[in-house]
Amino acid sequence: MYPFFKDDVAIQIHKGCVSHFFTCSTLKCKSDVGGVRCYQDKANKSLTANLWHHAIHCFGNEAVNVTVKGEPAVSQSGNIFSSFAHQEQ
Ligand SMILES: [Zn+2]
């Protein structure tokens, strides 16, 4: 889906509601749960917004913008940090 999240989306039943859990691909996620949980009854639009919001929070605006533009800098999750750090110098 996005390079910011792992491919294996976990399906969880939480209080009777089906939810999908997207695991953050950072080694050290900045959120408490380590990913984004989304309930199936919510619109896809909010899911995408939540995923991007989380990606920007964990990886930074710069890395997300590079991905949106389709540049190959973020094909490996580990490369994000080195390329991002390089730009700040
Ligand atoms: Zn994260």
Side-chain angles (χ1 to χ4, degrees):
M1 185 171 188
Y2 303 119
F4 305 112
F5 297 92
K6 294 180 179 174
D7 288 337
D8 50 335
V9 177
I11 297 171
Q12 300 173 338
I13 311 290
H14 190 71
K15 293 181 180 176
C17 296
V18 178
S19 66
H20 290 160
F21 189 81
F22 294 80
T23 306
C24 186
S25 66
T26 49
L27 291 175
K28 202 167 185 179
C29 182
K30 288 180 181 174
S31 78
D32 292 336
V33 292
V36 177
R37 175 180 288 119
C38 107
Y39 291 95
Q40 220 173 32
D41 56 348
K42 290 187 178 175
N44 273 342
K45 193 178 170 187
S46 74
L47 164 63
T48 308
N50 284 343
L51 290 176
W52 282 122
H53 183 80
H54 187 102
I56 290 169
H57 187 66
C58 273
F59 293 87
N61 236 332
E62 196 80 17
V64 173
N65 280 336
V66 168
T67 303
V68 172
K69 289 174 190 168
E71 292 171 19
V74 286
S75 59
Q76 307 266 332
S77 58
N79 289 350
I80 293 165
F81 299 104
S82 52
S83 61
F84 190 48
H86 192 71
Q87 286 170 19
E88 285 190 338
Q89 288 173 359

